[in-house]
Amino acid sequence: MRFPGISPRAYEHPVDRGALATLRMVPGFAEVLKVVSGLISERGERLMALGSAIRVGPKQYPELDRFRRECAETLDVDPVPNVFVARSPDANAMTLGMDEPFIVLSTGLVELLDAEGLRFAIGHEMGHVLSGHAVYRTMMRRLLSLQLSMSWMPVSALGLRAILAALNEWYRKAELSCDRAGLLCGQDPAAALRAHVLLAGGVDPAKVDIPSFLQQAEEYDSVDDIRDSVLKLRNIQEMSHPLAVVRASQLQKWAASEEYRAILAGDYPRRDTDEPHGTWSGDVKSAAKSYKDSFSASADPLSKVFADVGEAVSGAAGKVWGKFGNRDDGNGEGTTRP
């Protein structure tokens, strides 16, 4: 199936959408990021990829080039981003660039995944392109470099750590969003699950019992000691990606949802009718509801402590937006201000 004009809102995780909606509401935020990014030339990053990695094309990694074009067509991404394969033993992929995003796959990832797994991985990165995540991902990389150079200044280091912690929390949710985009490109939940098994440490998916693998996510979620809950928070606070087993479980739940089936049937929001600024309140409330539902369903004792937080934030967001988000345009009609 192809999805002409699909809006990224079709697959974005509610918490991801809420975080991005809040960032995008800040006047000039993207422009400020681009000014800050001038410290490191985007052209230089692109030239580095061009000079040190293999650019995927009809004569270089032709299978990956086919996946690149097919995934871009499936999600209606135009122009089609360049894909590079860079030498690294770690199984990794990333999307970089502020104005012209490009995708980098590690040789470790290319060697690890089968054909449909690679389609899933490239589709995942296309999701980052379509959602505009590359801007913030590039910002994270540059802030990490800046953090190292300013670590001798305690105030600066603390400020950057706070910003990076917030960006990492958003990016973990963005990864869940783009797993969904990868699934839309391959439309094969079993292939996506095999990819997650391999990324989690599987050498041969045939030697991994899938029900037992997914059971690990339930066990992780159902710890009954609050000390374990605190350790879980400490473990992920500086991670940019969700934990592998939890990530696999999240995607399989979405693959079984009515939402996924509706998209396959052609029922999805289109970019030409999308109004992200006008739905800020809805995005924030959806994010709060997602947290609340996650807390309520979890057996984690610390999650249960915060089970009412999502409902409170959701109600507060609606009240604040109702008071300040809608302005009278002089004709008695409310208008939304970005």
Side-chain angles (χ1 to χ4, degrees), residues 36-51:
V36 172
S37 75
L39 295 172
I40 303 176
S41 170
E42 179 179 340
R43 181 180 294 273
E45 291 179 331
R46 197 175 297 112
L47 286 172
M48 180 61 72
L50 186 65

Side-chain angles (χ1 to χ4, degrees), residues 223 225-237 300-302:
V223 296
D225 190 323
I226 198 166
R227 291 173 297 180
D228 290 337
S229 302
V230 173
L231 289 173
K232 283 160 63 175
L233 289 174
R234 289 182 60 187
N235 285 342
I236 67 169
Q237 65 179 347
D300 188 309
L302 191 58

Side-chain angles (χ1 to χ4, degrees), residues 2-8 10 73-77 130 268-274:
R2 301 289 186 265
F3 309 106
I6 188 172
S7 166
E73 182 181 356
T74 298
L75 295 179
D76 200 5
V77 175
L130 185 58
Y268 55 84
R270 265 70 171 177
R271 295 197 289 272
D272 58 359
T273 58
D274 208 13

Side-chain angles (χ1 to χ4, degrees), residues 30-236:
E31 287 74 17
V32 169
L33 290 184
K34 289 183 179 182
V35 170
V36 172
S37 75
L39 295 172
I40 303 176
S41 170
E42 179 179 340
R43 181 180 294 273
E45 291 179 331
R46 197 175 297 112
L47 286 172
M48 180 61 72
L50 186 65
S52 63
I54 305 298
R55 182 172 59 193
V56 169
K59 297 182 180 180
Q60 300 189 134
Y61 288 108
E63 185 179 47
L64 294 182
D65 187 55
R66 178 166 60 86
F67 293 157
R68 174 180 77 100
R69 295 184 180 278
E70 289 177 354
C71 287
E73 182 181 356
T74 298
L75 295 179
D76 200 5
V77 175
D78 185 38
V80 181
N82 280 319
V83 173
F84 294 88
V85 177
R87 174 64 61 186
S88 172
D90 296 327
N92 193 23
M94 58 184 169
T95 300
L96 296 172
M98 312 282 272
D99 298 312
E100 298 178 30
F102 61 94
I103 296 166
V104 180
L105 308 176
S106 71
T107 51
L109 184 74
V110 174
E111 292 167 354
L112 179 67
L113 300 182
D114 60 18
E116 290 307 306
L118 289 169
R119 185 194 300 273
F120 168 72
I122 292 173
H124 173 108
E125 296 304 319
M126 288 290 175
H128 282 307
V129 173
L130 185 58
S131 289
H133 292 164
V135 172
Y136 309 107
R137 175 61 172 165
T138 304
M139 177 186 182
M140 286 174 62
R141 284 171 55 86
R142 293 174 183 176
L143 283 177
L144 283 169
S145 299
L146 189 61
Q147 183 183 35
L148 292 175
S149 66
M150 298 182 67
S151 59
W152 60 275
M153 299 175 61
V155 175
S156 298
L158 288 173
L160 287 176
R161 284 188 64 183
I163 294 171
L164 284 167
L167 281 169
N168 278 328
E169 165 61 14
W170 160 73
Y171 200 75
R172 286 191 293 271
K173 304 306 181 186
E175 286 293 288
L176 298 179
S177 291
C178 293
D179 276 350
R180 296 177 177 185
L183 179 59
L184 289 175
C185 285
Q187 296 163 33
D188 185 349
L193 184 54
R194 285 197 305 273
H196 280 140
V197 166
L198 290 168
L199 290 170
V203 176
D204 179 357
K207 297 180 180 179
V208 176
D209 181 65
I210 296 302
S212 297
F213 175 73
L214 294 176
Q215 177 65 27
Q216 291 179 224
E218 295 183 20
E219 292 180 19
Y220 178 83
D221 190 51
S222 61
V223 296
D224 57 7
D225 190 323
I226 198 166
R227 291 173 297 180
D228 290 337
S229 302
V230 173
L231 289 173
K232 283 160 63 175
L233 289 174
R234 289 182 60 187
N235 285 342
I236 67 169

Side-chain angles (χ1 to χ4, degrees), residues 257-279:
S257 70
E258 289 291 339
E259 183 180 1
Y260 173 64
R261 287 192 287 272
I263 295 173
L264 291 183
D267 181 12
Y268 55 84
R270 265 70 171 177
R271 295 197 289 272
D272 58 359
T273 58
D274 208 13
E275 298 179 0
H277 293 307
T279 56

